């Protein structure tokens, strides 16, 4: 078995500014040991990276994306990534815990309403025009100024700016990839996305999720196709492949991963993985 180095995990520092604050903003060029880490690593929080200058490659859950000025990258908790920088990178990184918004909006599905987070079928990066990117920088700089003079109500001010930024980015993402941008189409779809994150190891059939949601398989497929372009089963399969890839980075055998994900035997596991990736699990690991 090919051994892989354990994946480092970065966790959020909620008391960096004294009182608890579940969001932070930094300049990429000042956070080299974290943001530009060349080793495989993951984060336990949400992050959005804004590239102003520089070039290179960013790998996220095995997907390769080019870094150029105007690129914005969306990272969800637990995704495995690595940087390969060619030219010096300049820009911002915005990172936050889910509770930073959940406590304010009282909506546990809030972050599942945006297309770019917990996304397994479409890219998790966009490149926008200079004017729109400038609008993003204005909002980031507004947050940055608030961090420069933290007050008791700063978290409320920052939340309001972040909310505007998230909606702005969702509109661009939806337009670029021709997907539904409405963040309030059917709550059942967002509940499905949320359940899929928590239940995918134990439940890998559409019927299991429709029972939890108390809706019909036909209705779930309809809203999944409307918002994601995929059927419910396809979404489940994309989630499984994404998580299997993550496990292949760890020191586990393909056989261990096979049974962990509920496959009956290694041959079925290999066929499933190859169907979606055109390579076997062992070949994928060797190419890491």
């Amino acid at each position: 078995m090919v051994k892989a180095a354990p994946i480092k995990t970065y966790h959020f520092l909620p008391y960096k500014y004294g009182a608890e604050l579940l969001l932070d903003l930094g300049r990429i060029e000042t956070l080299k040991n974290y943001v530009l880490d060349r080793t495989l690593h993951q984060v336990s929080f949400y992050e959005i990276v804004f590239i102003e200058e520089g070039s290179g490659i960013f790998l996220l859950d095995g997907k390769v994306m080019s870094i150029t000025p105007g690129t914005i990258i969306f990272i969800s908790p637990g995704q495995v990534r690595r940087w390969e920088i060619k030219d010096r990178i300049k820009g911002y990184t915005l990172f936050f815990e889910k509770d930073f918004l959940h406590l304010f909006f009282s909506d546990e599905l809030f972050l599942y309403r945006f297309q770019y987070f917990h996304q397994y079928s479409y890219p998790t990066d966009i490149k926008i025009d200079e004017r729109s990117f400038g609008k993003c920088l204005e909002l980031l700089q507004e947050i940055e100024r608030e961090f420069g003079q933290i007050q008791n109500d700063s978290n409320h001010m920052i939340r309001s700016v972040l909310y505007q930024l998230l909606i702005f980015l969702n509109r661009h993402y939806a337009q670029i990839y021709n997907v539904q941008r409405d963040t309030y189409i059917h709550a059942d779809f967002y509940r499905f996305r949320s359940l899929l994150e928590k239940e995918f190891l134990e439940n890998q059939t559409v019927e299991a999720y429709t029972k939890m949601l108390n809706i019909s398989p036909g209705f779930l497929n309809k809203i999944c196709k409307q918002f994601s372009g995929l059927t419910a089963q396809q979404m489940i399969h994309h989630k499984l492949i994404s998580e299997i890839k993550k496990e292949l980075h760890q020191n586990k055998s393909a056989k261990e991963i096979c049974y962990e994900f509920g496959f009956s035997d290694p041959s079925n596991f290999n066929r499933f993985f190859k169907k979606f990736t055109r390579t076997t699990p062992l070949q994928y690991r060797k190419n890491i």
Side-chain angles (χ1 to χ4, degrees):
M1 181 182 79
V2 179
K3 290 287 185 180
I7 297 176
K8 184 191 310 179
T9 300
Y10 288 98
H11 297 283
F12 195 86
L13 302 175
Y15 299 102
K16 177 180 174 181
Y17 299 95
E20 183 181 70
L21 185 57
L22 300 179
L23 177 143
D24 204 356
L25 176 72
R27 298 287 305 186
I28 292 176
E29 54 270 30
T30 67
L31 298 170
K32 292 179 181 178
N33 290 335
Y34 155 57
V35 179
L36 304 182
D37 189 341
R38 288 179 173 270
T39 65
L40 282 171
H41 61 281
Q42 60 185 348
V43 296
S44 63
F45 43 83
Y46 292 90
E47 182 172 11
I48 307 177
V49 179
F50 300 81
I51 306 295
E52 288 184 81
E53 299 176 9
S55 65
I57 296 295
F58 185 74
L59 295 93
L60 186 65
D61 281 351
K63 296 178 181 176
V64 179
M65 53 191 79
S66 297
I67 299 170
T68 57
T71 298
I72 301 172
I73 304 169
F74 304 95
I75 301 152
S76 301
Q79 289 188 296
V80 177
R81 67 192 200 180
R82 182 163 60 86
W83 294 83
E84 292 182 7
I85 303 304
K86 292 181 181 178
D87 299 317
R88 182 175 176 269
I89 297 293
K90 178 182 177 183
Y92 283 97
T93 182
L94 177 71
F95 37 101
F96 55 92
E97 291 277 16
K98 65 179 182 180
D99 285 345
F100 182 72
L101 290 167
H102 286 179
L103 294 173
F104 185 68
F105 290 104
S106 300
D107 180 1
E108 64 178 13
L109 302 174
F110 185 80
L111 288 167
Y112 292 94
R113 297 183 186 277
F114 300 107
Q115 286 279 22
Y116 39 73
F117 289 135
H118 302 289
Q119 179 60 257
Y120 303 104
S121 52
Y122 288 96
T124 50
D125 65 311
I126 57 174
K127 182 172 173 58
I128 59 178
D129 62 89
E130 187 175 344
R131 181 180 177 182
S132 297
F133 192 81
K135 172 67 174 176
C136 293
L137 293 182
E138 288 175 11
L139 294 171
L140 292 169
Q141 287 157 7
E142 192 172 337
I143 294 174
E144 189 175 39
R145 285 191 292 272
E146 197 64 31
F147 274 114
Q149 48 180 9
I150 291 288
Q151 301 176 48
N152 289 336
D153 59 358
S154 288
N155 58 342
H156 296 295
M157 180 68 78
I158 292 169
R159 277 192 191 99
S160 67
V161 178
L162 175 62
Y163 184 47
Q164 183 179 350
L165 179 61
L166 293 176
I167 293 292
F168 183 78
L169 291 171
N170 195 61
R171 289 178 176 179
H172 277 281
Y173 185 96
Q175 182 179 18
I176 290 169
Y177 296 116
N178 193 30
V179 293
Q180 175 66 253
R181 78 177 191 182
D182 187 351
T183 56
Y184 284 88
I185 53 164
H186 283 291
D188 287 326
F189 175 77
Y190 307 119
R191 291 193 186 99
F192 173 57
R193 291 184 78 189
S194 176
L195 284 170
L196 186 54
E197 290 294 314
K198 303 167 188 173
E199 303 283 341
F200 71 92
L201 275 179
E202 288 75 26
N203 296 290
Q204 297 168 11
T205 66
V206 174
E207 289 71 23
Y209 290 98
T210 55
K211 286 180 180 178
M212 286 184 268
L213 294 167
N214 195 28
I215 59 176
S216 71
F219 181 71
L220 180 58
N221 276 321
K222 179 182 176 181
I223 58 177
C224 285
K225 287 285 287 184
Q226 180 184 352
F227 196 66
S228 72
L230 300 173
T231 65
Q233 191 66 65
Q234 285 172 328
M235 289 183 66
I236 294 168
H237 287 164
H238 278 288
K239 172 63 179 173
L240 280 172
I241 289 295
S242 175
E243 294 297 325
I244 290 168
K245 285 180 176 180
K246 188 188 302 182
E247 292 300 308
L248 287 169
H249 287 280
Q250 309 284 2
N251 288 330
K252 293 182 180 180
S253 68
K255 187 176 181 179
E256 284 180 286
I257 299 170
C258 158
Y259 293 120
E260 180 182 340
F261 281 82
F263 289 90
S264 59
D265 58 67
S267 61
N268 284 335
F269 174 63
N270 286 340
R271 280 196 297 271
F272 175 81
F273 190 83
K274 191 170 185 178
K275 177 182 177 181
F276 289 92
T277 65
R278 298 181 182 178
T279 185
T280 67
L282 290 180
Q283 288 169 337
Y284 178 83
R285 171 172 275 164
K286 288 178 181 178
N287 290 332
I288 295 173

